[in-house]
Each structure stands twice: as structure tokens, then as C-alpha cells.
Amino acid sequence: MHPLPPSAEMDFSQNSLFGYIEDLQELTIIERPVRRSLKTPEEIERLTVDEELNDIERAVYLLSSGHDVQGTSVVANLPFLMRQNPAETLRRVLPKVREVLHVAGVEMQLTAAASFLTILQEESVSIQTYSHSFLHIILQHVEHRDAGVSNAWLETLLSVIESLPKETLRHEILNPLVSKAQLSQTLQSRLVSCKLLGKLANKFEAHIIKREILPLVKSLCQDVEYEVRSCMCRQLDIIAQGIGTDLTKSVVLPELIELARDESSSVRLAAFETLVNLLEMFDADDRSQTILPLVKSFCEKSFKADETILLSLSLHLGKLCHGLYGILTPDQHLRFLEFYKKLCTLGLQQENGHNDNQAPPPNQEQEKRYASVRKNCAYNFPAMIVFVDPKNFHMELYSTFFCLCHDPEVPVRHTIAICFYEVSKLLSSGVYLIYKELIALLQDESLEVLDALVDHLPETLELLTTGGESSVQENKLLAVPDLIPALTAAEQRAAGSLKWRTHEKILQKYACLPHVISSDQIYYRFLHRMFTIMMTNNVLPVQKAASRTLCIFLRYNRKQEQRHEIIQKLIEQLGQGKSYWYRLRFLDTCEFIIELFSKSFFCKYFFLPALELTHDPVANVRMKLCYLLPKVKSTLKIPADKHLLQQLELCVRKLLCQEKDKDVLAIVKRTVLELDRMEMSMDAFQKRFYEKDLLDQEKEREELLLLEMEQLEKEKQQNEGRPSSDKMFEKKQRKEIKKSKLVRSQSFSSQVLHPKYGTLEKCPGKNSTTGYAASVSGIGKSSVLSYTDDSFRTRNSSGNTSPYSSNTSLPSTSRTMSNSVEQKNNGSKDTQPRKATLKSRKSNP
């Protein structure tokens, strides 16, 4: 092709026209294979199947005279045929499949292996029928000349062995292995025999294994082909579990020692990994006298061998050190530690200018392998802390940990970020040593590293700020001075990326911050950021995560003025927002408020603003509110909240009478039935609501305690300006604090552990429900039951039981429902009162 330069003008000269003709000819050549790929009428006729044939007849026809693609489709559909008609499938289809597989290609063979395995897993037929019908086909193709096909059939056979009875295993699989494991057989046959012996070792008694299986194992361990010796060596740990410790020491261990000295590096590597896996089966003498010398020799030669040896060694080093712990001398202990440190910086010496051996710089492939070695070292770092003892971490391993956290390769830093919490737990009181590395990983440029670190961030921060011990929170905060900027930067970096799941996870994990930093720090650095995300982010899960975290921040905020400011902002900017999207997020926030706060808190601040949305012009908002109404009703206590219950009933009736959207109306009717079945909670404790009421009163007590703590802090600040000689005031203050605590404890005990609680009569369910359905349809009696104050213990109107009895009230909560309705009727904040696309989705409660 001759592309036209961007700056060139159209040239109709003779040379240019010839160039265009050549381009057209090339396009014609490209299109020719497309025309040739079309089916001829004869081919179409041959691929056409009579539509009147049933599934079994169609399968038999396609296997007999169809195309390879059609035959593969029948084989893939074999599990379905077995579920529909197993008898006919076994009688008519399976024999045809057996015939076709003898000459089938790779694709059909792989499909058949997968279909046979699916039939086994689905248990379409009994295991006896399966072994009679399918086992012979599997055994015929397990030694296929194609390695991929052979492995597929072998995986199916290994799964079948798990279900077959011992007699079938012995006659159909174990007995033929005696001949198939001989040197006269093909390489593929002997490799299959190795894996089958490993699988059969756990299926028979020890004496059968010793008499029939172990001789074959020893023979294959001494095979002339290194692939067979390596394959058999990797099965020895499975065989050892089946024969026990004594036979392992007398039969398996000598073979492993010989294989560890094999001329092939792959065999030596397999022997090393098997020895590591079997360390727990050997006693201290075997480990110190036999295994330790082999391991030392293997480690010393590893740097001179290829990188695959180093990869395996770095991956198993933590398990190896754990298995040898207790039998090493101090000098040997130090050698293993130094070897690990050397692996942790493998490939970095040249970058840092410490190439003492004047070795040539590694190529790109070597750098990848070196990075994989360092990644394995990061994976084993917690095990190495145990190896050196956490008390010696700063002196022995801190510099190594620093290098891993600042490694130039992302996979290494990602792995150490995953292990960071385990490292923190092991260091316990010494966890403060690694707080700089936590800050560095929080500020890492890779979001993969940040995502891995955030998984256990709450637990890590708790350990880091407490130092592994219980201490005063104000003292904890001094330990991590750069934590807040690092957390803020991490969230903003995730927000600026396209990985919204990482951003969502970070916002969810930041809910732990009230237990880590002070209330003022959360208010000024995080709380308003959560509100901004709710208003501006376009991803719904991220908005919900920010909403829930904001509610948790509000829950633990210790200043009433700040709480009122946030509540007012939620109501005015979300609940009364111009966009219907804001009002939907307000309902999500209400759901989180119901979950996290006490019932009295929700009723005081959010009950009426939520009900105002019954008049919303957008159907999606009204629909979401209908789903939330049962939870809203569950926050009411009778008779103290009788007026709120009446407002709720009024809103539901208006929805039923005035709703024009058919989808919303259908949800309203279902919600009415659910509301009618609900049992109301009373002010007095009831047996059936005891646990919920107790939990709610505990929340209310904690909210009251926050107000008391705020008052005490204010008094403390006022007293700091007074002379220190004023002892009388301090004494009086202590008495008042003790008195308030005593009154609160007595009040709590009288309400929660009232002596009459156990003898309360269970109120009938119908006396505690409201007849929404009856009131609307006109069928039945009056919808609103008359609640008398004599029947229930009323709430204290002075506000002693409610922690929110301050004189300052939010303007949105003091409105009556009539005013809110008039506002909606006078002018809607939605410029386009239409159904939004969200209407078709159901909101998750």
C-alpha cells in the first residue's frame, strides 16, 4: 500500500493513478480468501440436519456423517444428553463417540476429556455405570501422542480415581501399571505412570503399597530419562503421606538423597522441594545429619546454577528455615540469614554501584528473574522474622525490609504490602520501627501496591497507633506524624484513577479512622472530603462507600456544633438538592443512619426530611423511598412517636391515592402490606424486641456519653485559665462527674435490667400494628388504632432519655409536613420531572 502523505494534495498524474490502481489490486487480493471461505451448495447440503430429529437421533447422525465441528459440538453437549436421557445416550451416542475419538483431532479430544469430567462431577450416573462405560475410553487416550491431549485425559482420570472403589482401582489401573512403568514403554507412558502412582498411594493400605507400589516407585526413580526421575520425585511427598514415617525413612529418604545428587538440575530441584515438604516427617537427627548438608550444598551452588534454582530456593526458603529452626548452630543460623539478605537484593547491586565481582550487567530476561526472586523473598519475610526473633528485627532485618518496601519493581512492593499486616503483628510492641515504610507504601505511585496495603489497613493502623499495647489515644497520635497527609494523598490518588474499586475499598477502610486519630482531625481532613465525593463522584459504589464512612465519622464526632453542621448540610444539599441523584444518595445516607445510630437520633433529624420525598417529582426517588419505609417505621417507638407514625400513615395514603406511575404504585402496594404486618416497638422493653432494644439503648447511651465528654472538655478548657490554687472548684467538679455517672448508670440499669422486664406480658401483634391496607381499600375496621398513654410507659418529655435535647434545632427538622408539601407544590427543584433511567433498577436495602 502507498499511504498518502497528510500534507499532499490530490495528484491525478499518470504515476499517481498507477499507484492507486496497484492499491485497488492489493485490496482485491485481500478479499479473495473471504470469497473462497464461503460454503458451496454441496457443503451446505451436507451440513443441513433434519429439524424433526430428536436430540439423540441428531447426535448419532452428526457423529456418523457430520463435519468435525458438528461432532465436537455433540461431544460438548454430552453432559446435557446424559442429564436428559442417560440410558439412550449410553446405548446409542457413547459408542459413536468411542469410534470418532480414535481419529479425532486435538480439539475434539480436549472437549471429550472435559465432557467426561463434567459427567463425573454432575453424578449423572452411578460410579459403577461410569467406570463400566467411560473408564475404558479414558484409559485408551491417556497416553495420546499429543502432550496437551494426554494431560487433559490424565486430569480426568485422576479425578475419576477419587471416586472409584478399591477393587476397580486395583484391576483396571494398578495392575496394568506394572507393565506400563517398564523401560520398554514410551516416555509418555512412564510419565503417566508416575502421576498415577502418586494418586494411588493414598487409596490402599500400607502393606499393599509396600508390596506393589513401592517397587515401581524405586524403578521409576532410577529411570534413564531425567523427565521421568523428576516427575516421580515430585510424587514422593504424596507417597510418603500414604506409607507413614517408618517406610518413608527406610525407602523414600534414600531415594531422595540419591536424586538430590542427580546430574540433572531439574531432578535436583525436584528433590530439594520434596525434602522441604517432608521436613516435618523427619526427626532432629535425620534433619541435622542427612538433610542439612544437602540443603547447604544446594544453597551454595545455587548462585552458580541457572535462575530457576534461585526462584525455587527463594520461594521455599521461609518454609526451609522454619523446618530447620532449632537444629542450627549460631554460625549456620547466620549463614542462612545472610543468604536470604543476599537474595533480597539480587540484581540491585549493579544499580547501586556495588558490583564487586565486575560481572556484566544482567539482560532484560535476567532482571525479570531477579525481580521474581526478590518477590519470593518478600513473600517469605514474615517467616524470616520468626527465624531471627522479632526482638532482633531492627538489627538483623530492618535494612532488608526497607529495601523491599522501596524496591524498583512493583510486584516486589505489592507482595511486601500484602505481608505488611503480618509483619506488624509479629513485631508487636516494636511495630513503631516500620511506620516510615507504611507511609512510603501509602504514597507509592502504583495503585496495585496501595490496593494490597489497604486490605488490612484498619488492623495495621490499630497496631501502629497502639504500639501493640493499650495506651492513651492522645499519646498514640504522636507516633505517626505523617499518617494523615499520607492517607489523604492515597485517597486522592485513587480518586484520580480509573480503578474505582480501589477507591471504594479505601473509603470503606477509612471508617476505622475514629479509632486511630482524633475527632477534630477527621472533621477538618476527611469528613468534608467524604461529602465532596458523594456530591461529585460518578460511580455509585464509591458514593455509597463515602456516604457510609461519613455516617461513621458523624457517629463518633465529639462536638455537637460540628454534628449539627454536617446534618444540616446533608438535609439541605442532598435531601433538598436540585438533582434527583442527590436525593437518592440522601436516602442511602438515611439507611446508613438507621443502621449506625439510635432510633431517637434518626427520628429527631432525618425522619421528616425523608418523608418529604414522598412528594418528589421523580419516580425513582419515590420508588427508593418506598423500599426504605419499613426501615423508617422500625425507628418509631409507641406512644412517644405517635405523631410521627401518623405522619408516616398520611404519606403512605397520599402515595396510594395520588401516585400515577404504575411501577411506583405497585411497589407502594407491596410496601403497604409489609408495613401492615410490622410490629411496633414500645418504649417499655418487650421480650420479642429485647435484643434490638438493648442494642438501641446502648447506641443512645454512647451518644449521650459523647455529649457529656464534650461538656467535660469545655469545663476543662475553662479551668485551665484559672489559678491552680482553686481546689474547691476541682473538688466540686469531681463530685458532679461522679454524681452524673451514678445517675446515668442507675437510669441505664433501671431501663435495661428492669426487674419487671422478665414478667412483661407479650403484647398482641395486631395491637401494635397499623392497618394501612384496610384504611386504603375501605375494607375492615379503622386503620389508626387509638394508643392510650395508660397502656404504655411514655418517654420522658424533658429529654432525659434522648441525648439530643439541646435548644438549637435544625430548621429542616422543625418544619411540619404541610409546609414541606406546600414547598413541593409551589416549585420543584427538579427542572425536568421525568422518570430517570435508574427507575428500572431496584435499590439495595
Side-chain angles (χ1 to χ4, degrees), residues 203-376:
K203 296 296 179 181
F204 295 100
E205 293 79 7
H207 67 278
I208 297 179
I209 297 174
K210 182 178 180 180
R211 186 177 68 249
E212 300 186 19
I213 293 181
L214 286 183
L216 296 177
V217 170
K218 294 176 68 174
S219 173
L220 292 170
C221 285
Q222 299 169 6
D223 196 278
V224 295
E225 299 291 341
Y226 75 91
E227 295 102 325
V228 179
R229 298 196 302 273
S230 175
C231 183
M232 192 66 255
C233 184
R234 294 188 181 278
Q235 304 298 320
L236 290 180
D237 56 339
I238 304 175
I239 294 173
Q241 297 173 5
I243 62 178
T245 304
D246 294 336
L247 281 176
T248 299
K249 291 175 63 176
S250 61
V251 178
V252 175
L253 184 57
E255 295 295 332
L256 275 175
I257 295 172
E258 185 175 351
L259 291 169
R261 301 189 179 100
D262 196 277
E263 59 184 11
S264 173
S265 61
S266 63
V267 178
R268 294 197 302 270
L269 179 60
F272 167 75
E273 294 178 358
T274 305
L275 279 172
V276 173
N277 292 332
L278 292 177
L279 274 176
E280 296 180 354
M281 296 191 68
F282 302 123
D283 54 27
D285 292 337
D286 291 328
R287 281 183 281 176
S288 59
Q289 298 175 10
T290 306
I291 298 176
L292 183 57
L294 289 175
V295 170
K296 288 173 59 179
S297 174
F298 189 82
C299 293
E300 291 169 359
K301 297 177 181 179
S302 60
F303 282 98
K304 300 177 183 178
D306 57 41
E307 285 81 2
T308 56
I309 303 293
L310 282 176
L311 279 173
S312 176
L313 185 56
S314 61
L315 181 62
H316 294 86
L317 191 58
K319 192 173 183 179
L320 176 64
C321 291
H322 177 73
L324 297 177
Y325 188 80
I327 66 169
L328 299 176
T329 63
D331 182 59
Q332 292 169 340
H333 190 280
L334 182 61
R335 285 188 180 183
F336 274 100
L337 181 59
E338 292 300 324
F339 180 74
Y340 172 76
K341 292 180 180 179
K342 190 174 182 180
L343 291 179
C344 288
T345 57
L346 185 65
L348 300 180
Q349 293 88 346
Q350 292 84 356
E351 297 180 10
N352 299 329
H354 299 296
N355 190 359
D356 299 331
N357 299 328
Q358 300 299 323
N363 55 37
Q364 188 174 4
E365 191 64 29
Q366 282 180 324
E367 287 181 354
K368 290 182 179 179
R369 292 177 180 173
Y370 290 162
S372 298
V373 170
R374 300 197 302 274
K375 176 185 174 183
N376 292 340

Side-chain angles (χ1 to χ4, degrees), residues 583-598:
R583 302 195 292 278
L584 289 174
R585 299 293 73 76
F586 176 74
L587 293 175
D588 289 332
T589 305
C590 287
E591 191 170 353
F592 295 135
I593 292 289
I594 294 172
E595 174 191 350
L596 298 170
F597 289 79
S598 65

Side-chain angles (χ1 to χ4, degrees), residues 84 93 558 659 663 694 744 772:
Q84 296 297 319
V93 180
R558 297 174 65 173
E659 183 58 55
D663 297 325
L694 192 63
R744 188 175 67 251
Y772 294 99

Side-chain angles (χ1 to χ4, degrees), residues 47-82:
L47 295 174
T48 303
V49 181
D50 188 0
E51 296 182 358
E52 295 182 359
L53 298 177
N54 60 35
D55 292 338
I56 299 295
E57 293 171 344
R58 185 184 299 110
V60 172
Y61 174 79
L62 292 176
L63 288 171
S64 302
S65 57
H67 197 270
D68 289 343
V69 176
Q70 293 175 317
T72 303
S73 175
V74 172
V75 174
N77 202 38
L78 203 57
F80 172 77
L81 296 176
M82 287 295 298

